[in-house]
Structures are given as C-alpha cells and as structure tokens.
Amino acid sequence: MKIRALFLVCCLSSQSVVSTPGRYDAIFNFGDSLSDTGNFVRTRALAFPVIRTLPYGETFFHHATGRCSDGRLVVDFIAEALGLPYLPPYLAVAKGPPVRTGVNFAVAGASAIDSSFFNAQGIVLWTNDSMSVQLGWFKNLKSSLCTTKHECDEYFKKSLFLVGEVGENDYNFPSSFGWTIKQLRHLVPQVVGAITRAVDNLIEEGAVDLMVSGQLPIGCFSLYLVLFQSANKSAYDPRTGCLKAYNAFAKYHNNYLKQELQVLREKYPHARIMYADYYGASISIYRTPKRYGFYGGTLSACCGGGGPYNLNKSAICGQPGSTVCKDPSAFANWDGVHFSESAYHHIAKGLIYGGFTYPPLLA
Ligand SMILES: *[C@@H]1O[C@H](CO)[C@@H](O)[C@H](O)[C@H]1NC(C)=O
Ligand SMILES: *[C@@H]1O[C@H](CO)[C@@H](O)[C@H](O)[C@H]1NC(C)=O
Ligand SMILES: *[C@@H]1O[C@H](CO)[C@@H](O)[C@H](O)[C@H]1NC(C)=O
C-alpha cells in the first residue's frame, strides 16, 4: 500500500498522465520470468519451486503469485498505465469464461527458440513452453474471444501485444552449461528469428500494435557476474561493475533485433511495431543507483544465501539458509536472477513515459 501511494505521488507530480484508459481494451503478453504472472507455478515448476512461497510477492501482493519478484513486474505497471486489470496467467483462465481484458502467456524459464534445440545439445531448460508453445495457447484462446475474422480484427486492433522480454534464457542456460560468448553470438540469428516469427504470426492473427523487447544489460546480472567472475579489472565497466563483454553482447542482440523489426515494418506497413529498449531503460539504475533509491546496491541480491553478489546455488532466495533484506525497494536485484518491484517500476516508467519505446507506446 505504501508503494502504491508513492507511485501515485511520484506520478502525479512528475507526469501529467497517470493512466491512459481507453487506448487499449486488452493486453496479450508473451515471454519469460520477467513477465510471468503465474503460468510457471501452474505447471509442475520443479526447477524453481521457491516462487510458490514468500518472500516472493511480499511487497505488493503480500503472498506469492508466481511472479519472480517481491511485487509487480513491468507488465503490471503497463496494465496500470493503460487502466486495465493485471493480466491473469493463461493456465489459470484457459478453461473458464473468456477474459476480455487480456491474458498472459509468459512462462518463467521460457526460451524463444523451441526447447528441443537445447535438449538436443544436452542443455536442460526449466520449461518447454517456448514462444511457439505460447503462440499455440494464444490461438486456442482466440476462438473463445472472437469468431469471425471481422470480429477478431476489430478486437485485436484495440489490443496491445507485448512480445518479451524473451530470449534471455536462450543465452542464460547455454552460458551455465559452459558456452562462450562466441558460441552465443552464433545463436543470435536463431533467437531473433524466433522472436520475429512470433511477431509475424501475431500480425497474421490480427495484431496491429506490438511492443517487442530487447535484452537487458545481462553483464550486470548476478548469474553472469558469478559464472564469469574475473580477476582482470578490465573485464568490468568501472562505472557500473558490470561485465563489459556481456553487456556488449546484449547490445549486439538488440541491434540484430532492431534490424529484423525494420524488415517486418516494411512487410506490414499497417502494423505499429514498437521496440522496447529495456537496455536503455535499465542501465541508468546501474550508473546512478542512488538517484533511484537503490542504497542497498544494484549487483548484489536482496534475497539470497550469501557469497559473491549474494547468489548462492546451495541457498537461493526462499530456500533454507537464505535471508531477505529489510527494504527490497533499496535493491535493484531481488533474487540474483530477477529485479525487485522497485527496479521494474523504474524500467516501466522509462518504457511508458521516458522515451525508451519507439515509436512511443502512448502516442
Ligand atoms: C521437455 O521435453 C523433453 C523432451 O520431450 C522432456 O524430456 C523434458 O522432461 C521436458 N521438460 C520439462 C521441464 O517438462
Ligand atoms: C584483461 O582483459 C583485457 C580485455 O578485457 C585483455 O586485453 C587483457 O589481456 C587481460 N589481461 C590479462 C592479464 O588477462
Ligand atoms: C551457501 O549456502 C550454504 C547452505 O546454506 C552455506 O552452507 C554456505 O556457507 C553458503 N555460502 C556462502 C559463501 O555464504
């Protein structure tokens, strides 16, 4: 409640627009743990059962919802800004009456590329619910939302489609299995291809407004900082403490994606394909953390079991041996793999109001 009050105070004073109801009637979201609002916990979720319990959710919902954070995610702040309800997870509503204000297909741990590609290389993912599976879910649901082509087109014209963030797991898992940056670079065309194929598919289904996300600065993530810890100071950006090579890799992916989105814009001139620059919207957190109230720091997790960056494989957040910081809003990094609500809020403001989505979301 306190956070919500702060949100209103901050936005009433700094922006004339708090929410823009009416622009969209629905949001459909595809992605991974950055935006999963409860699908993964409705699968067996064996790989990451901690998200079933507190402290996940402690800040805003006061119980675990299946979100990989202490509170709301970027997709929740986008829903608030558009005056729409938080998106229910597809697996919670698939069998019920149709939800006309939007549904979330994102699954924590999901890859952009089909999981069979990784399985064939001996890389075990958390989930097989990649982009193509999520698109299949969307097509299933579509028949309950509209019937004729005309009816569907009219409905989807007033819907916002969020594609990603997704793709990060396509790099996280191989990295954990020892792949080098050079090997990751060879994956980029396939990962971007899976993302743009999803965009193409959605436009063919009737989507007109789509917001497609780039990668975050993964060189700032505890996962990479722990995996590729270096005694060589020049591996780190002195301004942020992040791994330069992995941030450069994220930018490489993003540039590739932006080029491919341009191709899609030419193919579908009637569609409004927005690029959501998550990298740009989040890097300021690492450069000037105190400006955003991150007095606890940015690289070390609020919740964890000790060790470098407070990411301990034997005691991850929620497991015995882990502890949670007193004030998660003072930390950008929630559990070593995901952001805190406070960081998501900052990123969302950058994307919605701060010029980090182009063309802009609220035009
Ligand atoms: C994903 O699919 C593979 C191959 O069918 C299967 O062996 C594996 O258990 C599945 N993983 C999950 C998390 O369901
Ligand atoms: C440290 O890393 C830089 C590039 O990041 C490299 O040029 C240099 O050779 C490395 N030094 C050592 C001692 O490994
Ligand atoms: C990691 O967690 C284990 C289990 O709680 C604990 O024994 C170990 O000391 C922790 N490691 C560090 C570096 O704190």
Side-chain angles (χ1 to χ4, degrees):
M1 277 296 123
K2 208 171 115 210
I3 301 270
R4 190 168 187 115
L6 276 173
F7 170 68
L8 289 173
V9 169
C10 92
C11 297
L12 282 170
S13 58
S14 64
Q15 286 125 202
S16 51
V17 186
V18 173
S19 79
T20 308
R23 174 77 181 84
Y24 294 107
D25 292 341
I27 303 173
F28 297 98
N29 181 75
F30 303 81
D32 57 26
S33 59
L34 272 286
S35 62
D36 182 357
T37 54
N39 283 312
F40 188 59
V41 286
R42 284 173 172 82
T43 67
R44 291 187 306 148
L46 293 178
F48 204 55
V50 288
I51 55 167
R52 290 183 194 285
T53 52
L54 289 169
Y56 284 86
E58 67 168 24
T59 298
F60 184 78
F61 299 98
H62 309 299
H63 66 272
T65 61
R67 286 171 176 78
C68 296
S69 183
D70 59 312
R72 289 163 291 179
L73 313 175
V74 169
V75 64
D76 297 311
F77 291 114
I78 291 177
E80 285 182 7
L82 296 175
L84 290 168
Y86 299 133
L87 300 190
Y90 169 74
L91 296 178
V93 298
K95 295 196 178 78
V99 180
R100 300 205 48 91
T101 49
V103 171
N104 193 346
F105 303 93
V107 181
S111 52
I113 303 176
D114 282 353
S115 60
S116 55
F117 169 84
F118 297 101
N119 293 335
Q121 326 236 5
I123 295 170
V124 184
L125 306 182
W126 284 5
T127 173
N128 291 328
D129 299 329
S130 62
M131 286 308 279
S132 64
V133 173
Q134 296 178 27
L135 275 171
W137 291 351
F138 171 72
K139 288 175 191 172
N140 282 344
L141 188 79
K142 188 180 166 184
S143 57
S144 74
L145 292 171
C146 53
T147 44
T148 65
K149 179 168 185 330
H150 177 76
E151 194 193 343
C152 293
D153 285 351
E154 288 303 306
Y155 176 47
F156 291 143
K157 242 195 275 177
K158 291 214 73 190
S159 301
L160 174 65
F161 290 80
L162 305 175
V163 181
E165 184 286 322
V166 70
E168 193 194 306
N169 289 313
D170 300 65
Y171 306 127
N172 288 348
F173 285 97
S175 296
S176 312
F177 278 76
W179 285 33
T180 62
I181 287 198
K182 200 172 159 202
Q183 288 172 299
L184 295 186
R185 273 184 182 250
H186 287 300
L187 263 188
V188 170
Q190 259 175 284
V191 175
V192 168
I195 296 169
T196 51
R197 206 157 37 249
V199 173
D200 195 308
N201 263 279
L202 287 169
I203 295 173
E204 294 289 344
E205 293 291 336
V208 177
D209 284 27
L210 306 100
M211 182 168 161
V212 188
S213 307
Q215 294 296 303
L216 288 143
I218 60 173
C220 305
F221 288 11
S222 317
L223 176 71
Y224 289 88
L225 289 164
V226 169
L227 275 174
F228 303 106
Q229 210 163 353
S230 174
N232 185 347
K233 273 211 168 87
S234 67
Y236 297 92
D237 181 338
R239 288 173 301 175
T240 58
C242 305
L243 287 165
K244 285 195 282 195
Y246 282 89
N247 278 356
F249 172 73
K251 285 186 179 168
Y252 176 79
H253 167 103
N254 290 345
N255 286 331
Y256 202 102
L257 175 63
K258 282 189 271 185
Q259 280 172 23
E260 294 302 309
L261 291 182
Q262 197 46 41
V263 173
L264 280 175
R265 288 186 189 111
E266 281 155 27
K267 181 173 175 191
Y268 297 110
H270 76 283
R272 195 159 180 275
I273 303 174
M274 296 168 265
Y275 173 69
D277 179 8
Y278 272 66
Y279 191 109
S282 59
I283 196 68
S284 52
I285 290 176
Y286 299 101
R287 293 199 179 134
T288 52
K290 295 204 167 78
R291 230 179 99 190
Y292 306 103
F294 296 122
Y295 294 99
T298 52
L299 304 181
S300 202
C302 155
C303 180
Y309 306 101
N310 197 20
L311 178 61
N312 179 347
K313 269 194 195 160
S314 323
I316 60 167
C317 176
Q319 285 180 337
S322 72
T323 56
V324 55
C325 68
K326 250 201 212 120
D327 179 8
S329 75
F331 286 75
N333 181 342
W334 164 243
D335 62 0
V337 194
H338 307 103
F339 289 96
S340 64
E341 172 181 272
S342 183
Y344 280 130
H345 191 186
H346 168 67
I347 295 168
K349 280 193 282 187
L351 294 174
I352 302 166
Y353 308 106
F356 287 106
T357 299
Y358 34 92
L361 177 61
L362 304 178

